[in-house]
Amino acid sequence: SRSGPPSSKHGHGGHAKRAPPPASPVVPVAPQAAALVRATCNSTAYYDVCVSALAADPSSTTADVRGLSAIAVSVAAANASGAAQAAAALANGTAPLAAAAAGDGTVQALLRACAGKYGDARDALAAAKESMGQQDYDLATVHVSAGAEYPQVCKALFRRQRPGAYPAELAAREEALNKLCSVALDIIALLTSSPASNNNNS
Amino acid sequence: MKLDVNALRYLSKDDFRVLTAVEMGMRNHEIVPAELVDRIAGLKHGGTYKVLRNLLKNKLVHHDATKYDGYRLTYLGYDFLAIKTLVNRGVFASVGRQIGVGKESDIFEVATEDGTVLAMKLHRLGRTSFRAVKSKRDYLAHRRSFNWLYLSRLAALKEFAFMKALGDHGFPVPTAVDCNRHCVIMSLVQGYPLVQVKELQNPDDVFDTILGLVVRLAEHGLIHCDFNEFNIMIDDDEKVTMIDFPQMVSVKHRNAQMFFDRDIECIYKFFRKRFHLSSEKCEEQDGSDIDDDENSRPSFLSIQKAAGSLDKELAASGFTRKEQVEMDKYIDQNAEEESSDDDSTSEQDNEDGDDVAVKIGSLKIAEQDSAEVPDCTLASKDSNEPETFAKENETSTSCSGENNSINPSPSSNGDAKEPTESQDNDDSDDDSSDDPDGEDDDALAKQLNKQRKRAIAAAHGRRRPISSRNAYKYKGKGTMNSKIERQACKW
């Protein structure tokens, strides 16, 4: 699909999430398109996250605001999917840092629950994409909000049962997903705020 | 009762936004904290709380402040979410009369923009089977996020997937149109449930056709597990249609042979009693030693199985292994319970057939009363229908009893008139007192039914909508003969 390779690339390059776009891009970007991305990201709470997320998808150079919102949701969905796989890997002991969980059945159970929660987040974000396809932005907003909410259960479960065992990797992924969902919500809000008197830039 | 899709127009986008937020929250909470609903819905200036009050007023959500300020969807709330989604997709445009009430579902006519009439089936596992599941404490212990919405959704997903796959393989089932949440849209089947049919022009042919379906299903790797006169429709031309398959399992299931034999036995018993087929046709014992004997019963072990073709179809339909595993956890509970009930029924049957027949009738009346208690305006009709249904059951097979045994429910008081029925009701009351949870669940089901009606009335702006509802009654078009017509009038 369109967002497949770019999302996958974005998923692997975790450190690149917060890096600013290169000063001299290999492929020249139309000034007008770049301006739209910057203007759109200016309305979000996490400008840098927004720019890097959108830049990872080549179609962002030709997309309008609606297209950018779809890209943002797709990036968030891919991130959730990656987190689900990471949690499953930790639970199965196939991840490099799984040694800490070895022998602790409770931690393994918690990690499996986390994989399920990130899976729910992925499904919710997929539902958001479907709603956006039907231009039902109200419903899309609810699904993205839910997508950001489900991983919170993972953190809560660890906090209650194994406070010190919450994997740093999952903590980082949770923060990243939360920000990506926030970005997606802010961009969707631009679509739902009509040219009328409502001003949502806050 | 009429579920008017126009009622949806009274709800705003914010209403559906909050309804969806409650639904999302129920993934992790049986009762969703109000704060969480607000966070997911994302409305500004306290809008969520205003909407929640409106939804509560229309009985689309249930409020529970026992531990914290929390909410969950009601039956009607879930109905509206599914219906709105399907209407938005253009699957249908309006909802018409209710044409069926099952143990675990309600069925309505719906119409498309061009006037085509379809059937909408709303799965409601929580209405009766929840009680059975609730009694399995171990099951609940392993399912913290258990709720009836989830199970109803799985049931609908499974039915849709199977309906589509079976249809593609030429089985006589309704045409699968669409599915959302706990709602399945399918073609409208003409005719009557076989249980309502008193006479057939060609009972032998119908018998052979139905038996052939059981065998063909097994050849395609499936056992129906609940193949009886309630799940078979027949029209004026005596064309047979399978209309319900909630418990279908693979031939690889550990109890596959038992289920297969039971399905066969149900058909034999029903046709022997209802249509008096000859003893040669419906012999009591298996003739498995003589495979070529036309009168011998089908043998599970001799079934020539097709190699996994339906598995591929089901995978393509979206009913994945994950969903099957989830369903198996639930179905296995029922399977074990059914096995136990079968033994009990068998013992009673050996002792005194008449008593068994009476008890079966009473159980049916109890279930029917439970389903219809909210319909206060039909009080006069209710006093007649139980008796009619009791008579119907007197000529039915024990398969009906088995159906009741699968999902027993406490009886309601006040409708019993005959001394025998009264005694049976007393027994049911004793059962209720022994299982407080079951009683609560039954009360919950009644309350939810009332809530649905009030919500619709509120949406209409009227005190009470006109409603008509009959348990297990399907209204088909046309008649087979005068006797059938008179029978239909009774319903």
Side-chain angles (χ1 to χ4, degrees):
Chain A
S1 66
R2 178 190 65 186
S3 62
S7 300
S8 176
K9 179 180 179 181
H10 179 269
H12 288 303
H15 296 291
K17 293 177 185 176
R18 300 187 178 86
S24 304
V26 177
V27 178
V29 177
Q32 192 173 8
L36 179 61
V37 169
R38 286 196 298 271
T40 301
C41 290
N42 270 330
S43 69
T44 68
Y46 302 100
Y47 177 85
D48 290 341
V49 171
C50 176
V51 170
S52 63
L54 296 182
D57 191 323
S59 64
S60 65
T61 59
T62 57
D64 56 7
V65 174
R66 190 168 72 180
L68 293 178
S69 65
I71 293 170
V73 172
S74 295
V75 172
N79 183 278
S81 182
Q85 294 172 14
L90 288 170
N92 295 332
T94 56
L97 300 178
D104 192 337
T106 299
V107 169
Q108 287 182 326
L110 291 172
L111 289 169
R112 282 193 291 271
C114 289
K117 300 311 170 188
Y118 279 99
D120 288 342
R122 174 200 59 220
D123 294 341
L125 291 163
K129 289 171 64 178
E130 181 180 347
S131 298
M132 293 175 68
Q134 300 170 2
Q135 300 190 37
D136 189 343
Y137 302 116
D138 277 333
L139 199 55
T141 297
V142 175
H143 284 300
V144 175
S145 297
E149 188 63 34
Y150 293 142
Q152 305 300 315
V153 177
C154 170
K155 179 165 65 176
L157 289 173
F158 267 93
R159 184 171 60 240
R160 293 175 193 168
Q161 303 189 45
R162 289 287 190 276
Y166 188 45
E169 180 180 356
L170 285 189
R173 286 184 176 273
E174 177 204 333
E175 182 183 5
L177 179 58
N178 195 280
K179 289 181 176 178
L180 288 170
C181 288
S182 176
V183 164
L185 286 171
D186 291 339
I187 299 178
I188 294 173
L190 294 177
L191 300 172
T192 56
S193 64
S194 60
S197 59
N198 288 339
N199 183 359
N200 291 326
N201 294 327
S202 62
Chain B
M1 181 184 71
K2 182 178 180 182
L3 182 65
D4 190 350
V5 74
N6 288 325
L8 299 177
R9 298 176 183 173
Y10 292 98
L11 299 182
S12 68
K13 296 193 92 178
D14 284 353
D15 289 329
F16 280 103
R17 189 158 168 163
V18 174
L19 263 186
T20 305
V22 174
E23 181 192 21
M24 298 283 103
M26 287 179 69
R27 281 209 177 231
N28 292 309
H29 303 269
E30 185 175 353
I31 303 294
V32 187
E35 181 197 15
L36 178 58
V37 176
D38 184 39
R39 196 154 63 241
I40 295 178
L43 295 179
K44 299 179 178 179
H45 312 304
T48 299
Y49 298 94
K50 298 176 183 176
V51 170
L52 281 172
R53 282 197 295 272
N54 185 45
L55 297 178
L56 191 62
K57 175 184 174 184
N58 287 283
K59 306 300 180 183
L60 299 179
V61 297
H62 171 73
H63 182 231
D64 187 330
T66 306
K67 298 179 179 178
Y68 48 80
D69 187 25
Y71 295 83
R72 64 167 173 77
L73 289 175
T74 62
Y75 280 117
L76 190 61
Y78 207 38
D79 292 350
F80 274 27
L81 284 174
I83 290 170
K84 175 175 168 58
T85 300
L86 291 164
V87 168
N88 286 351
R89 290 183 194 171
V91 177
F92 59 88
S94 64
V95 178
R97 59 173 181 155
Q98 183 161 5
I99 58 176
V101 179
K103 291 177 291 182
E104 298 174 343
S105 62
D106 286 331
I107 304 174
F108 295 82
E109 285 182 346
V110 295
T112 62
E113 287 284 358
D114 63 0
T116 303
V117 179
L118 302 171
M120 172 177 73
K121 182 173 183 178
L122 297 165
H123 283 261
R124 307 199 191 288
L125 292 187
R127 182 153 65 195
T128 55
S129 60
F130 183 80
R131 178 175 180 276
V133 173
K134 190 76 177 286
S135 65
K136 305 291 184 180
R137 294 183 179 179
D138 289 341
Y139 184 86
L140 283 179
H142 295 300
R143 289 285 308 184
R144 291 178 54 198
S145 62
F146 166 87
N147 67 61
W148 56 266
L149 293 178
Y150 181 62
L151 290 179
S152 297
R153 190 186 194 116
L154 286 183
L157 181 61
K158 179 170 183 178
E159 178 172 38
F160 184 79
F162 276 62
M163 191 181 298
K164 194 169 181 63
L166 291 171
D168 290 344
H169 281 262
F171 284 91
V173 297
T175 301
V177 176
D178 207 335
C179 175
N180 184 265
R181 294 178 172 85
H182 65 316
C183 178
V184 178
I185 306 297
M186 65 190 84
S187 62
L188 189 66
V189 178
Q190 301 297 332
Y192 303 91
L194 189 56
V195 66
Q196 294 179 8
V197 176
K198 288 291 189 178
E199 292 182 0
L200 288 173
Q201 297 297 316
N202 303 290
D204 287 5
D205 291 342
V206 174
F207 174 76
D208 289 338
T209 298
I210 293 173
L211 216 59
L213 287 175
V214 176
V215 173
R216 273 189 64 208
L217 280 172
E219 289 173 350
H220 283 79
L222 295 169
I223 308 295
H224 190 285
C225 297
D226 196 25
F227 211 89
N228 58 58
E229 61 272 23
F230 292 91
N231 296 330
I232 300 168
M233 295 283 289
I234 189 163
D235 66 6
D236 290 349
D237 297 324
E238 299 195 342
K239 175 186 176 183
V240 169
T241 303
M242 299 161 48
I243 60 170
D244 200 7
F245 17 85
Q247 304 186 74
M248 203 167 282
V249 300
S250 166
V251 292
K252 299 174 183 176
H253 190 281
R254 66 178 185 276
N255 293 328
Q257 181 167 1
M258 179 193 77
F259 290 139
F260 178 88
D261 292 341
R262 188 181 64 180
D263 280 348
I264 296 292
E265 178 64 16
C266 279
I267 298 167
Y268 269 80
K269 282 187 176 180
F270 176 76
F271 273 82
R272 181 167 58 243
K273 290 193 175 183
R274 177 66 60 87
F275 304 110
H276 310 294
L277 291 194
S278 65
S279 58
E280 293 179 2
K281 193 76 174 181
C282 303
E283 59 182 355
E284 294 279 355
Q285 298 178 352
D286 286 333
S288 58
D289 291 338
I290 309 175
D291 292 339
D292 293 336
D293 187 348
E294 292 183 357
N295 291 331
S296 66
R297 294 193 179 192
S299 167
F300 177 76
L301 297 178
S302 66
I303 297 294
Q304 298 294 329
K305 301 178 181 59
S309 57
L310 270 178
D311 287 341
K312 296 179 181 178
E313 293 285 342
L314 292 172
S317 298
F319 191 73
T320 66
R321 174 169 290 276
K322 175 185 176 184
E323 277 75 23
Q324 182 61 59
V325 169
E326 294 289 344
M327 286 295 291
D328 283 347
K329 291 179 182 178
Y330 175 67
I331 291 175
D332 281 346
Q333 298 294 328
N334 263 2
E336 292 171 6
E337 189 172 354
E338 289 167 15
S339 180
S340 174
D341 290 333
D342 286 347
D343 293 339
S344 175
T345 302
S346 178
E347 292 173 0
Q348 293 180 18
D349 189 59
N350 290 335
E351 293 174 358
D352 192 335
D354 291 338
D355 287 347
V356 172
V358 172
K359 291 181 179 179
I360 289 170
S362 299
L363 285 173
K364 182 64 68 175
I365 292 171
E367 187 169 359
Q368 177 176 321
D369 291 345
S370 175
E372 293 196 355
V373 163
D375 294 334
C376 301
T377 57
L378 296 177
S380 59
K381 288 188 177 180
D382 288 346
S383 63
N384 294 327
E385 282 182 339
E387 294 178 0
T388 304
F389 212 88
K391 292 178 181 178
E392 184 73 24
N393 277 283
E394 289 174 2
T395 59
S396 296
T397 69
S398 60
C399 296
S400 305
E402 289 172 358
N403 287 333
N404 287 310
S405 299
I406 291 172
N407 294 299
S409 62
S411 67
S412 300
N413 294 324
D415 289 326
K417 293 184 176 180
E418 298 179 6
T420 304
E421 291 174 356
S422 177
Q423 292 176 5
D424 290 328
N425 284 332
D426 289 342
D427 292 340
S428 298
D429 292 339
D430 292 339
D431 292 340
S432 298
S433 63
D434 292 338
D435 188 352
D437 288 338
E439 185 175 1
D440 291 341
D441 293 330
D442 184 60
L444 175 63
K446 296 178 186 177
Q447 182 184 1
L448 290 175
N449 278 319
K450 289 182 179 178
Q451 290 176 346
R452 291 180 61 208
K453 296 176 66 181
R454 289 172 185 165
I456 294 174
H460 288 167
R462 295 182 296 180
R463 177 177 298 180
R464 196 179 192 89
I466 299 173
S467 64
S468 62
R469 178 177 173 185
N470 297 295
Y472 296 103
K473 180 178 181 181
Y474 289 85
K475 298 180 180 177
K477 293 182 179 178
T479 58
M480 302 177 72
N481 51 49
S482 60
K483 191 168 185 179
I484 297 297
E485 187 172 10
R486 286 196 299 272
Q487 181 183 358
C489 291
K490 291 181 180 179
W491 294 105

